[in-house]
Amino acid sequence: MTSLDRRLPPGFLEEALRADALSGLTAEPKSLPPKWFYDAQGSALFDKITELPEYYPTRAEREILRATAARIASVTRARMLIELGSGSSDKTRLLLDALRDAGTLRCYVPVDVSEPALAAAGKALSAEYPGLDVRAVVSDFEERLGFPADGPGDGSAPAPRLVAFLGSTIGNLEPAQRAAFLSRVRAQLRPGDFFLLGTDLVKDPATLVAAYDDASGVTAEFNKNVLAVLNTELGADFDLDTFEHVAVWDAGAEWIEMRLRSCLAQTVRLPAIGLTVDFAEGEEMRTEVSAKFRREGVSGELAAAGFALRSWWTDSAAQFGLSLSVPA
């Protein structure tokens, strides 16, 4: 059984894109939020990135989940799994399998901004898990975070609930944004609920930069896709060939920055928002930060938001961390 709950008002994404483009392209320095990478083409490119030899985070997190899913299911006894930023729900199947095998799983709630991705994932999961109550929620988890208030379709209570935020997507938020996000998640949880968080860890800069600047150029194509989105949605006239992909490690902030560098002095028009933007030759526009974490930092940020860290796991190479926390 699959249902779709649209939490975003009509035109929300279109207005959000217009606002982000207007504010970001008139800022100094210029920037665009990474969520606008993900149209159908961007999502397909990111799927390709996760299979690249240089891009370790997906493999590392999957390794941890394979090793710990049964333990997580045993500890949480979750009846409802809520996944924020679910996308294709690929790695989630390890958790779904473990909860199903433990005999507790009743309901899965994928939360994502992309309705097509949710519809496709919901259809696939309903076929793979007969009888599972799939309640997809179309939402921008940064602004309109909301969990289902009622229980699974059998009328029983949903507790306990396991909320998962995987893929180190939290690294795309700056510290103040992370604090606000974690506080919003904590406000939704009740005693007995759990929070599972994936975090990419600080490591040698060469490994980090390679993960965001692969030799085959897939990440560069992905980065430029944000310009293609602006062309499609806002009538902009970005020439993607006049921008080059840049990935740098900021040791002070402990994050990777992805940028687009203008190869020449140029003017870009965005008629849908009445904006004309000048780029100087060599000017860089930030399109993503991807923060990397240390265990003590993760524990501290969780504690500040009202969580208590209960378990911490890493992959065999200690490249990625997975934490299980409860409301403090």
Side-chain angles (χ1 to χ4, degrees):
M1 176 171 58
T2 303
S3 64
L4 189 67
D5 179 4
R6 297 178 180 88
R7 298 285 179 91
L8 302 179
F12 174 84
L13 292 177
E14 291 80 2
E15 285 305 311
L17 175 60
R18 293 161 72 97
D20 285 346
L22 186 60
S23 62
L25 292 173
T26 56
E28 182 61 45
K30 298 179 179 69
S31 66
L32 290 168
K35 62 184 175 184
W36 301 117
F37 288 134
Y38 296 97
D39 63 352
Q41 171 70 359
S43 296
L45 285 168
F46 185 73
D47 286 344
K48 287 179 66 176
I49 287 171
T50 63
E51 298 171 0
L52 293 170
E54 298 97 330
Y55 194 79
Y56 61 84
T58 302
R59 290 189 298 274
E61 188 176 40
R62 187 178 286 115
E63 177 192 325
I64 301 169
L65 284 168
R66 282 201 188 100
T68 62
R71 166 83 174 153
I72 292 167
S74 173
V75 169
T76 65
R77 306 296 296 171
R79 295 169 62 80
M80 176 183 283
L81 173 62
I82 302 171
E83 184 179 11
L84 306 178
S86 55
S88 63
S89 304
D90 177 37
K91 284 174 293 191
T92 319
R93 286 168 170 79
L94 295 166
L95 291 171
L96 291 171
D97 288 346
L99 290 166
R100 180 184 59 182
D101 292 347
T104 63
L105 181 66
R106 297 293 180 271
C107 182
Y108 172 54
V109 182
V111 182
D112 200 89
V113 75
S114 170
E115 185 170 330
L118 284 170
K123 182 178 179 180
L125 290 166
S126 292
E128 291 177 48
Y129 300 88
L132 178 63
D133 187 3
V134 180
R135 300 183 178 188
V137 177
V138 182
S139 178
D140 178 341
F141 59 76
E142 284 187 62
E143 302 296 335
R144 294 173 176 268
L145 183 65
F147 300 162
D150 53 344
D154 62 6
S156 57
R161 301 175 299 174
L162 172 61
V163 179
F165 193 41
L166 303 176
S168 202
T169 305
I170 196 168
N172 294 147
L173 306 178
E174 296 190 30
Q177 294 175 308
R178 291 202 301 266
F181 168 77
L182 290 171
S183 293
R184 283 196 295 272
V185 174
R186 171 63 185 87
Q188 295 277 347
L189 299 189
R190 302 188 289 262
D193 290 341
F194 291 83
F195 180 50
L196 186 68
L197 179 65
T199 46
D200 195 10
L201 303 181
V202 174
K203 57 187 67 65
D204 69 283
T207 299
L208 286 165
V209 171
Y212 293 84
D213 193 11
D214 61 280
S216 55
V218 180
T219 311
E221 189 179 355
F222 173 72
N223 194 6
K224 291 184 182 186
N225 192 65
V226 73
L227 304 181
V229 169
L230 296 183
N231 286 349
T232 300
E233 300 299 329
L234 301 180
D237 59 359
F238 282 99
D239 180 350
L240 275 61
D241 292 334
T242 63
F243 288 85
E244 60 183 358
H245 168 66
V246 179
V248 295
W249 170 244
D250 184 327
E254 292 194 326
W255 66 37
I256 286 280
E257 278 197 21
M258 289 211 316
R259 305 171 185 165
L260 288 170
R261 178 187 295 144
S262 180
C263 302
L264 70 165
Q266 57 182 309
T267 299
V268 177
R269 294 163 186 83
L270 297 89
I273 54 175
L275 185 63
T276 299
V277 183
D278 292 323
F279 285 85
E281 181 178 357
E283 182 179 355
E284 294 181 352
M285 173 172 63
R286 190 174 80 180
T287 54
E288 181 179 89
V289 298
S290 185
K292 307 306 170 187
F293 298 89
R294 303 175 187 272
R295 175 177 177 167
E296 58 271 24
V298 173
S299 180
E301 290 192 34
L302 287 167
F307 289 98
L309 192 150
R310 286 287 178 261
S311 297
W312 171 266
W313 303 281
T314 67
D315 60 293
S316 56
Q319 293 187 313
F320 200 94
L322 192 68
S323 58
L324 186 66
S325 302
V326 296

